[in-house]
Amino acid sequence: MSESLVCGLIGAGITKSLTPPMHEEEGRHHGLRYAYRIIDLRELGLSVADLPRLVRSARDLGFRGLNITYPCKEAVIECLDDLSPDAARLGAINTVLFEDGRAIGHNTDWSGYARNFDRGLEGAAMDRVVQVGAGGAGVAVAYALLTRGAQRLIVVDADLQRAQQLRNRLAASFDGDRIEIAGLADLPDVLRLADGVVNATPMGMAAHPGSAVPAELLRPDLWVSEVVYRPVDTELLLAARAVGARTLRGTGMAVYQAVDAFRIFTGIEADADRMFEHMTALVAREESVVVR
Ligand code: NAD
């Protein structure tokens, strides 16, 4: 019998996260005895200030690793012994590996977006890419787009300060001239010259209905990518498909961040197609429950 493996997800309001079933199911296919626990700050009546204690406890209790989500991705850094080079550049962590008593931080949000992009938008033009939303997911998406060769990334956010912060954070890793920031009022102008657009805002989720990119600004030669993955097809994706644009769902980012975290935890390359199928079925089941 193989050694048993325990991992967990720390965040707030995460009781319905699909990450535990994704990891456990993939572990089962590889014959692992793999338990993946939710550690929800809200449910436990804890706050970000409790993170050092939680991370230390997980390590002491023999957890192999942790995924980290909102609102802990930056705060967790001070609990760690080392960071991967990408995680250090990003200044945000979503995966922690405990190895030889040390806690090492990684970021698989950016690699998840990049791998999903490679899979679904191969060969897409990237001279000018517009990204709407400069929050937690936005930083990882911007890092991925710049790493994958976006010549010019125009970051639009309803809160210009967030766009500015994103630019400041990534300017040390990429030529600052490659990142422009723009206000919401400029969206029609910047989209007119763009090859593609990414939604990295929560718009499109059930709790944030609508689209951050008005349908009348879409066109067949503008590729459209989502980070929202619940629902699988957002209003933006449906509108983009209706005008004949190439589209990329947010599901793949969620799947590949799990694929990369699974490899970090287990040393095993997950079957991305199988995880994709599983994730899509989980979201579809959730949507059918909501509809009923
Ligand atoms: P966040 O709150 O940190 O950032 C959202 C940003 O969008 C903010 O800066 C806000 O000002 C901006 N914004 C909101 N509405 C806007 C609008 N209409 N126009 C322009 N800017 C607007 O949120 P986050 O953590 O970055 O998450 C964003 C979304 O990404 C969520 O829906 C989350 O579920 C999704 N997400 C997906 C994945 C994945 O793996 N696919 C991973 C992480 C997050």
Side-chain angles (χ1 to χ4, degrees), residues 62 99 165 174 239 273:
E99 204 172 31
Q165 283 162 358
F174 303 94
D273 288 338

Side-chain angles (χ1 to χ4, degrees), residues 224-276:
V224 175
S225 161
E226 259 295 1
V227 299
V228 172
Y229 63 99
R230 287 158 115 171
V232 167
D233 285 318
T234 58
E235 190 173 316
L236 171 61
L237 288 178
L238 294 173
R241 245 175 257 145
V243 299
R246 268 181 99 179
T247 57
L248 183 66
R249 288 171 167 166
T251 323
M253 177 182 180
V255 169
Y256 279 111
Q257 66 77 22
V259 167
D260 288 351
F262 189 88
R263 189 185 53 254
I264 289 169
F265 294 150
T266 66
I268 297 171
E269 189 64 37
D271 182 329
D273 288 338
R274 183 168 57 210
M275 281 181 98
F276 235 102

